[in-house]
Amino acid sequence: MKAITAANIKALYGRDFLTLLDYSPSDVEALLEYALTIKNDQKAYSDVLKGQSLGMIFENASTRTRVSFEVGMTQLGGHALFLSPRDMQIGRGEPVKDTANVLSRYVDAIMIRTNSHELVEELAEHAKVPVINALTDAYHPCQAVADALTIYEHKQNLQGLKLAYIGDGNNVSHSLLAIGAKLGMDVTIATPTGYEVDQTIFKRAEEAAKDTGSTLKQTNDPREAVKDADVIYTDVWASMGYEQEQSERLSQFAEYQVNSELTSLAKDDFIFLHCLPAHRGEEVSEEIIDGHHSVIYDQAENRLHAQKAILVALMTK
């Protein structure tokens, strides 16, 4: 990665963080480099958000997202407020426009984890402060920044690396396509037939990939995807909102488990990633997720550093 400049980071101030596809390659590089900088010198950033507050709206349960954002704000000298729909009027039918305008008078940024990407876009349209997408049905950009940070730390490079994602064509896979396209990684998504990624999002990512030379592919063959892969990634087969399909998906995804047989096709020094929580014995075997190729806890820790970089970049003049 190129060294960041003040101009790179300054360009991010006050912007929304809804999908990495809205950001240029230089924006994403700057954000990733900033995460490394903050991680390596945390004391230097201990009061950069002093006196600022982050409103955190959660429609879904969360471990890593809530803790990383809340701890991150504290470590940066700011304050985070946990807001659930059952405690807010938005959960009782208040228009998103009204919630956005009111919260903008109280807090310096809004983070939201919800099912509907359209709701986040509406919130950002009306809010007068930056809105951060902490997960929707379409994208998981904060996770992708942490993923890229983890890969870079273990591989010391991103350009030209092959990342194979095996499983459901969900929000995680969409954001991996986006960050791969922005940072020059080659990304192959392997899903069962009928569970492919959203084709509109794939085409947007393909267009973005033209600027960096990355190659994006889709396949229904997991063996093709992992062949010579530097990074292998999976997620649960039934994400939030699809729990009722769990039994059916267990059957449909049976051949997509990441195990020693499948990973034998990857490079000898491949690393394994999972955004967690994981269902051991389903999408990944215990020998892989708990084996020496696994970097899932480094990846989980990096949610904190990625989140801090996003918060500082968007909230600090």
Side-chain angles (χ1 to χ4, degrees):
M1 288 184 295
K2 300 175 182 177
I4 58 170
T5 66
N8 293 145
I9 292 302
K10 189 175 181 180
L12 305 182
Y13 171 71
R15 293 173 62 181
D16 296 316
F17 189 71
L18 307 188
T19 167
L20 290 159
L21 293 172
D22 293 337
Y23 279 53
S24 69
S26 60
D27 290 337
V28 180
E29 284 184 5
L31 197 55
L32 196 59
E33 182 68 27
Y34 211 29
L36 280 167
T37 300
I38 293 174
K39 180 177 182 178
N40 292 330
D41 191 8
Q42 297 186 52
K43 289 184 178 179
Y45 295 84
S46 60
D47 63 354
V48 293
L49 295 185
K50 184 177 181 180
Q52 295 201 57
S53 295
L54 172 71
M56 305 191 305
I57 302 173
F58 283 90
E59 283 193 349
N60 297 317
S62 170
T63 298
R64 283 149 291 275
T65 299
R66 178 178 177 180
V67 175
S68 57
F69 268 108
E70 194 161 337
V71 171
M73 278 298 291
T74 300
Q75 291 182 353
L76 295 168
H79 175 65
L81 301 90
F82 175 79
L83 306 168
S84 70
R86 65 178 176 273
D87 300 322
M88 300 173 63
Q89 296 301 330
I90 194 172
R92 299 181 176 87
E94 180 177 61
V96 173
K97 176 181 179 179
D98 292 347
T99 296
N101 277 288
V102 171
L103 285 180
S104 296
R105 305 291 182 101
Y106 296 146
V107 301
D108 301 280
I110 300 168
M111 182 232 81
I112 181 167
R113 180 182 173 96
T114 183
N115 292 322
S116 170
H117 193 74
E118 289 74 19
L119 186 151
V120 176
E121 290 179 329
E122 185 179 359
L123 185 71
E125 178 184 355
H126 297 289
K128 306 300 188 296
V129 296
V131 171
I132 299 169
N133 172 13
L135 179 145
T136 65
D137 55 355
Y139 298 104
H140 200 351
C142 297
Q143 178 68 57
V145 176
D147 297 339
L149 176 58
T150 307
I151 296 167
Y152 183 80
E153 287 181 325
H154 283 271
K155 295 295 185 182
Q156 296 302 303
N157 183 41
L158 292 172
Q159 187 78 33
L161 288 183
K162 180 179 179 181
L163 186 156
Y165 173 90
I166 313 298
D168 187 25
N170 60 11
N171 48 10
V172 171
S173 61
H174 292 159
S175 287
L176 289 173
L177 286 167
I179 203 162
K182 298 297 181 177
L183 295 175
M185 287 188 288
D186 297 330
V187 181
T188 301
I189 307 291
T191 69
T193 302
Y195 295 91
E196 291 87 357
V197 298
D198 181 280
Q199 292 307 293
T200 298
I201 292 174
F202 185 83
K203 289 177 181 178
R204 281 192 67 190
E206 267 193 324
E207 189 63 29
K210 293 178 182 179
D211 293 330
T212 61
S214 68
T215 300
L216 309 181
K217 294 181 179 178
Q218 301 179 83
T219 181
N220 298 122
D221 183 356
R223 296 174 65 85
E224 175 188 346
V226 303
K227 183 174 173 53
D228 298 324
D230 299 285
V231 183
I232 299 177
Y233 198 126
T234 192
D235 190 10
V236 294
W237 291 338
S239 301
M240 288 186 197
Y242 295 94
E243 293 87 350
Q244 72 280 4
E245 300 179 8
Q246 178 71 18
S247 296
E248 178 183 351
R249 285 176 177 243
L250 283 175
S251 173
Q252 295 288 337
F253 285 76
E255 300 300 317
Y256 290 78
Q257 184 188 77
V258 176
N259 52 38
S260 58
E261 179 183 356
L262 184 63
T263 59
S264 67
L265 299 171
K267 291 183 179 176
D268 291 340
D269 63 346
F270 81 90
I271 58 174
F272 172 76
L273 277 71
H274 193 305
C275 55
L276 301 179
H279 294 168
R280 284 170 164 80
E282 290 185 13
E283 73 272 8
V284 59
S285 65
E286 292 196 25
E287 63 186 348
I288 295 299
I289 195 169
D290 293 325
H292 68 278
H293 291 284
S294 178
V295 295
I296 60 170
Y297 299 126
D298 293 344
Q299 180 188 6
E301 178 194 337
N302 279 334
R303 288 294 303 277
L304 172 64
H305 308 300
Q307 256 82 280
K308 288 168 74 172
I310 293 165
L311 291 167
V312 175
L314 270 56
M315 297 172 69
T316 306
K317 292 185 180 179

